[in-house]
Amino acid sequence: MNDWPEGWSGDNRGSGYGRGSASARPESARVMRQVRRGATPPPGPGPSAPPYGAGVPQQPSYTDGQGYGDDGYDSGYNTGQVYGGGGGQGPGRQGRPAPNWRRRIKWTAITVVTVLVVTTVGTYFWADSKLNREVDLSKVIERPGAGEGTNYLIVGSDSREGMTDEQKKDLHTGSAEGKRTDSMMILHTGDNGSTLISLPRDSDVEIPSFVGSESGKKYPGTGRHTKLNAAYAEDGPELLVRTIEHNTGLRLDHYVEIGFAGFANIVDAVGGVEMDIPQDIKDKKSGADFKKGKQTLNGEESLAFVRTRYALAGSDLDRTKNQQKFLSALAGQVATPSTVLNPFKLYPTMGAGLDSLTVDKDMGLFDLASMFWAMKSVSGGEGTSMNMPISGSVGGNLKWDDAKVKKLVQELKNDEKVTAVSGN
């Protein structure tokens, strides 16, 4: 009995994959065919008649991966396109383009440079606005001619302005009204290195004719001699500059002053300053109490150290040497990468320093930076530090050595290597 459907022959059965098939292909390799629904073709003999009989569409061939004849339908399984793999793109999907690294690097660099420029410019204007430009050197009369290089007059005053009673007690400053000069130095910068010269406050000087900084009135010179710090006490920074220029013949280009509180704040902002103290120091008036050796001084200790003179054998002359050492060390600490490259340290330091500095009206940030770098070079051994040459005393004041001072000033004017020595 023939159990196969009508129209099937043995040849038809030979291509099947079912039981008894002669094909070597396993059952699992059978491909599920897609059947498209459509109108039933009319029955009739002929080569176009479907092998399954009436109502059964002709099955597609799967030769060479093709399988759907002329109807144009393709599931995509044969080409690997269903999931976007294999040989091509799936319908309606686009491949992601490779990243343009050159473009990304370019815009990243532009962004970084823009941020740095904006930050730098903003910092500059912020810092520039904090400078207290209160000293008007145009009021100084009969000034010497300008020389080579730049000369700064650096003054440490005993101003207690803005200090609380507790701060005055902690810093051992007392409560005197007004302000006087506690230290004075000339810093020369030029092509032949930097020179830092201390001017003892007890130096004997002549007060020349001058114009009052507030009154505008001219006061004629009378040949009166007094201590150098008295000039500051009498009419402030302008008369101090006028007196130094008159007694030395050296023109001072810039003026920088710092008070007690500002000095201590700067030291604390940089985290202290390391000093090698050459001897034990104990001074009740300044509050100094140090043991010999290397140690890091905070703001309060630093102020006590630079103000001490009664515990030193050379009194004011030894004190000026300590002041030079300390200010050079402080400048070196401010200019270190750990401070300059650390915004959490740099901005508090700049804020503390700029708030407490009083400078001349022509002083710029670049001038101030140049001064600090020059002081750092002195502390690093690349410059010279000395006291103004002294020959003796007169009336309790320290008398300068006129010949050595003249030679020193000439070398500074010509920006030559300093050969004059202090002699003490």
Side-chain angles (χ1 to χ4, degrees):
M1 178 183 295
N2 185 357
D3 295 332
W4 298 100
E6 182 181 355
W8 281 39
S9 66
D11 292 338
N12 296 121
R13 289 173 295 168
S15 62
Y17 303 120
R19 184 172 53 191
S21 170
S23 172
R25 298 178 68 179
E27 181 72 22
S28 61
R30 179 180 301 169
V31 179
M32 184 67 72
R33 296 169 180 161
Q34 304 293 328
V35 178
R36 194 177 76 164
R37 298 180 181 274
T40 303
S48 62
Y52 293 100
V56 180
Q58 182 178 355
Q59 300 302 303
S61 169
Y62 290 90
T63 305
D64 297 329
Q66 305 300 317
Y68 297 97
D70 298 332
D71 60 6
Y73 183 86
D74 186 359
S75 66
Y77 284 99
N78 293 315
T79 61
Q81 295 176 353
V82 172
Y83 299 106
Q89 300 293 334
R93 291 176 60 93
Q94 296 295 327
R96 179 177 297 175
N100 188 334
W101 289 109
R102 179 176 295 180
R103 181 182 178 86
R104 290 187 179 184
I105 292 172
K106 172 186 174 182
W107 282 107
T108 299
I110 291 175
T111 301
V112 170
V113 170
T114 301
V115 170
L116 288 176
V117 170
V118 171
T119 301
T120 301
V121 172
T123 299
Y124 175 86
F125 284 105
W126 167 77
D128 188 72
S129 68
K130 294 180 76 66
L131 275 178
N132 300 310
R133 297 182 174 93
E134 299 176 2
V135 179
D136 189 357
L137 295 183
S138 67
K139 295 179 180 179
V140 179
I141 62 173
E142 302 176 24
R143 308 193 68 187
E148 301 294 328
T150 304
N151 299 309
Y152 299 85
L153 178 61
I154 304 171
V155 174
S157 75
D158 63 0
S159 172
R160 299 154 178 84
E161 184 177 353
M163 296 175 64
T164 65
D165 290 339
E166 184 177 356
Q167 287 176 317
K168 292 176 183 178
K169 180 179 179 181
D170 291 340
L171 298 176
H172 301 273
T173 65
S175 299
E177 295 297 327
K179 59 181 181 179
R180 287 151 292 278
T181 53
D182 208 53
S183 62
M184 291 161 284
M185 302 178 192
I186 295 175
L187 174 67
H188 173 84
T189 64
D191 294 334
N192 285 291
S194 302
T195 304
L196 187 62
I197 308 162
S198 286
L199 310 176
R201 67 177 190 174
D202 292 341
S203 297
D204 184 79
V205 293
E206 178 187 350
I207 300 296
S209 59
F210 67 97
V211 174
S213 58
E214 296 295 333
S215 65
K217 179 181 177 181
K218 184 171 182 177
Y219 297 88
T222 61
R224 173 170 57 101
H225 278 245
T226 185
K227 294 180 179 181
L228 180 58
N229 66 341
Y232 183 96
E234 188 171 331
D235 198 53
E238 288 84 1
L239 179 55
L240 177 63
V241 170
R242 166 73 174 128
T243 301
I244 293 174
E245 290 186 342
H246 174 77
N247 284 268
T248 63
L250 182 69
R251 186 184 182 97
L252 301 175
D253 301 294
H254 292 293
Y255 178 93
V256 181
E257 178 186 326
I258 186 169
F260 282 161
F263 181 84
N265 289 340
I266 293 175
V267 174
D268 287 334
V270 298
V273 176
E274 185 179 76
M275 289 294 298
D276 188 359
I277 298 178
Q279 65 184 69
D280 292 351
I281 299 177
K282 191 173 182 65
D283 185 352
K284 290 183 178 180
K285 289 193 174 183
S286 68
D289 188 2
F290 306 112
K291 296 296 183 182
K292 178 181 178 180
K294 286 187 177 182
Q295 50 203 286
T296 299
L297 307 183
N298 61 24
E300 178 183 339
E301 294 167 337
S302 299
L303 186 58
F305 177 72
V306 299
R307 294 183 62 220
T308 295
R309 65 170 176 164
Y310 294 105
L312 305 176
S315 187
D316 200 40
L317 293 178
D318 282 349
R319 179 173 73 161
T320 56
K321 293 177 182 178
N322 285 341
Q323 290 171 344
Q324 288 179 349
K325 292 177 183 177
F326 186 87
L327 289 179
S328 296
L330 174 59
Q333 179 67 29
V334 170
T336 57
S338 63
T339 299
V340 175
L341 300 179
N342 183 354
F344 298 102
K345 208 171 183 180
L346 175 63
Y347 285 98
T349 301
M350 291 179 65
L354 297 172
D355 276 340
S356 54
L357 290 179
T358 299
V359 300
D360 64 270
K361 293 184 180 296
D362 294 327
M363 172 73 85
L365 287 179
F366 290 111
D367 298 312
L368 196 60
S370 176
M371 184 192 80
F372 271 98
W373 281 108
M375 292 187 68
K376 181 185 178 183
S377 71
V378 172
S379 67
E382 300 173 8
T384 303
S385 60
M386 58 184 292
N387 277 329
M388 185 65 82
I390 302 297
S391 63
S393 63
V394 53
N397 299 339
L398 296 174
K399 180 173 175 50
W400 292 349
D401 186 318
D402 294 334
K404 289 182 178 180
V405 169
K406 183 177 180 179
K407 181 179 180 182
L408 171 63
V409 169
Q410 194 62 37
E411 290 171 341
L412 295 177
K413 278 187 171 183
N414 297 332
D415 194 24
E416 300 171 348
K417 185 174 179 61
V418 171
T419 58
V421 294
S422 60
N424 44 64

mmCIF file of all heavy atoms in Angstrom, residues 261-277:
data_model
loop_
_atom_site.group_PDB
_atom_site.id
_atom_site.type_symbol
_atom_site.label_atom_id
_atom_site.label_comp_id
_atom_site.label_asym_id
_atom_site.label_seq_id
_atom_site.Cartn_x
_atom_site.Cartn_y
_atom_site.Cartn_z
ATOM 1 N N ALA A 261 51.709 92.107 62.336
ATOM 2 C CA ALA A 261 50.689 91.079 62.137
ATOM 3 C C ALA A 261 50.825 90.424 60.766
ATOM 4 O O ALA A 261 50.715 89.201 60.627
ATOM 5 C CB ALA A 261 49.293 91.677 62.295
ATOM 6 N N GLY A 262 51.081 91.244 59.751
ATOM 7 C CA GLY A 262 51.227 90.705 58.404
ATOM 8 C C GLY A 262 52.410 89.763 58.298
ATOM 9 O O GLY A 262 52.334 88.721 57.635
ATOM 10 N N PHE A 263 53.489 90.112 58.949
ATOM 11 C CA PHE A 263 54.684 89.271 58.939
ATOM 12 C C PHE A 263 54.368 87.892 59.526
ATOM 13 O O PHE A 263 54.700 86.858 58.937
ATOM 14 C CB PHE A 263 55.783 89.961 59.753
ATOM 15 C CG PHE A 263 57.078 89.206 59.811
ATOM 16 C CD1 PHE A 263 58.009 89.331 58.792
ATOM 17 C CD2 PHE A 263 57.364 88.365 60.871
ATOM 18 C CE1 PHE A 263 59.206 88.632 58.841
ATOM 19 C CE2 PHE A 263 58.548 87.670 60.934
ATOM 20 C CZ PHE A 263 59.486 87.810 59.911
ATOM 21 N N ALA A 264 53.722 87.865 60.674
ATOM 22 C CA ALA A 264 53.380 86.594 61.315
ATOM 23 C C ALA A 264 52.397 85.786 60.475
ATOM 24 O O ALA A 264 52.509 84.553 60.377
ATOM 25 C CB ALA A 264 52.794 86.857 62.710
ATOM 26 N N ASN A 265 51.446 86.466 59.834
ATOM 27 C CA ASN A 265 50.449 85.764 59.019
ATOM 28 C C ASN A 265 51.081 85.086 57.808
ATOM 29 O O ASN A 265 50.682 83.983 57.418
ATOM 30 C CB ASN A 265 49.368 86.743 58.554
ATOM 31 C CG ASN A 265 48.465 87.189 59.691
ATOM 32 O OD1 ASN A 265 48.383 86.527 60.720
ATOM 33 N ND2 ASN A 265 47.797 88.311 59.516
ATOM 34 N N ILE A 266 52.042 85.741 57.178
ATOM 35 C CA ILE A 266 52.714 85.146 56.018
ATOM 36 C C ILE A 266 53.451 83.876 56.425
ATOM 37 O O ILE A 266 53.386 82.844 55.748
ATOM 38 C CB ILE A 266 53.692 86.146 55.378
ATOM 39 C CG1 ILE A 266 52.937 87.322 54.768
ATOM 40 C CG2 ILE A 266 54.525 85.458 54.296
ATOM 41 C CD1 ILE A 266 53.836 88.412 54.220
ATOM 42 N N VAL A 267 54.158 83.941 57.537
ATOM 43 C CA VAL A 267 54.909 82.768 58.011
ATOM 44 C C VAL A 267 53.965 81.603 58.284
ATOM 45 O O VAL A 267 54.234 80.457 57.884
ATOM 46 C CB VAL A 267 55.714 83.118 59.281
ATOM 47 C CG1 VAL A 267 56.374 81.863 59.858
ATOM 48 C CG2 VAL A 267 56.766 84.171 58.969
ATOM 49 N N ASP A 268 52.857 81.866 58.935
ATOM 50 C CA ASP A 268 51.895 80.798 59.227
ATOM 51 C C ASP A 268 51.268 80.250 57.946
ATOM 52 O O ASP A 268 50.975 79.047 57.849
ATOM 53 C CB ASP A 268 50.805 81.305 60.174
ATOM 54 C CG ASP A 268 51.314 81.487 61.596
ATOM 55 O OD1 ASP A 268 52.282 80.802 61.975
ATOM 56 O OD2 ASP A 268 50.738 82.320 62.330
ATOM 57 N N ALA A 269 51.054 81.112 56.960
ATOM 58 C CA ALA A 269 50.425 80.683 55.708
ATOM 59 C C ALA A 269 51.295 79.697 54.940
ATOM 60 O O ALA A 269 50.785 78.789 54.275
ATOM 61 C CB ALA A 269 50.101 81.890 54.830
ATOM 62 N N VAL A 270 52.623 79.849 55.006
ATOM 63 C CA VAL A 270 53.520 78.928 54.292
ATOM 64 C C VAL A 270 53.879 77.719 55.139
ATOM 65 O O VAL A 270 54.643 76.857 54.714
ATOM 66 C CB VAL A 270 54.816 79.629 53.838
ATOM 67 C CG1 VAL A 270 54.505 80.744 52.866
ATOM 68 C CG2 VAL A 270 55.616 80.156 55.023
ATOM 69 N N GLY A 271 53.325 77.638 56.347
ATOM 70 C CA GLY A 271 53.586 76.475 57.193
ATOM 71 C C GLY A 271 54.837 76.575 58.025
ATOM 72 O O GLY A 271 55.373 75.556 58.483
ATOM 73 N N GLY A 272 55.334 77.801 58.245
ATOM 74 C CA GLY A 272 56.534 77.983 59.059
ATOM 75 C C GLY A 272 57.791 78.076 58.212
ATOM 76 O O GLY A 272 57.808 77.709 57.043
ATOM 77 N N VAL A 273 58.857 78.569 58.830
ATOM 78 C CA VAL A 273 60.144 78.747 58.150
ATOM 79 C C VAL A 273 61.237 78.067 58.961
ATOM 80 O O VAL A 273 61.347 78.280 60.180
ATOM 81 C CB VAL A 273 60.482 80.245 57.973
ATOM 82 C CG1 VAL A 273 61.860 80.416 57.346
ATOM 83 C CG2 VAL A 273 59.423 80.927 57.109
ATOM 84 N N GLU A 274 62.026 77.246 58.286
ATOM 85 C CA GLU A 274 63.117 76.551 58.980
ATOM 86 C C GLU A 274 64.323 77.465 59.122
ATOM 87 O O GLU A 274 64.773 78.068 58.157
ATOM 88 C CB GLU A 274 63.515 75.285 58.219
ATOM 89 C CG GLU A 274 64.572 74.464 58.960
ATOM 90 C CD GLU A 274 64.959 73.196 58.230
ATOM 91 O OE1 GLU A 274 65.716 73.309 57.236
ATOM 92 O OE2 GLU A 274 64.521 72.107 58.623
ATOM 93 N N MET A 275 64.844 77.551 60.338
ATOM 94 C CA MET A 275 66.013 78.375 60.615
ATOM 95 C C MET A 275 67.028 77.579 61.416
ATOM 96 O O MET A 275 66.667 76.730 62.246
ATOM 97 C CB MET A 275 65.619 79.626 61.418
ATOM 98 C CG MET A 275 64.831 80.649 60.644
ATOM 99 S SD MET A 275 65.790 81.417 59.316
ATOM 100 C CE MET A 275 67.091 82.215 60.245
ATOM 101 N N ASP A 276 68.290 77.849 61.155
ATOM 102 C CA ASP A 276 69.376 77.261 61.940
ATOM 103 C C ASP A 276 69.871 78.349 62.897
ATOM 104 O O ASP A 276 70.623 79.241 62.500
ATOM 105 C CB ASP A 276 70.495 76.786 61.024
ATOM 106 C CG ASP A 276 71.558 75.983 61.777
ATOM 107 O OD1 ASP A 276 71.415 75.834 63.011
ATOM 108 O OD2 ASP A 276 72.518 75.514 61.139
ATOM 109 N N ILE A 277 69.403 78.297 64.129
ATOM 110 C CA ILE A 277 69.736 79.336 65.107
ATOM 111 C C ILE A 277 71.104 79.023 65.711
ATOM 112 O O ILE A 277 71.317 77.934 66.258
ATOM 113 C CB ILE A 277 68.650 79.408 66.201
ATOM 114 C CG1 ILE A 277 67.317 79.782 65.530
ATOM 115 C CG2 ILE A 277 69.016 80.424 67.278
ATOM 116 C CD1 ILE A 277 66.151 79.850 66.481
#
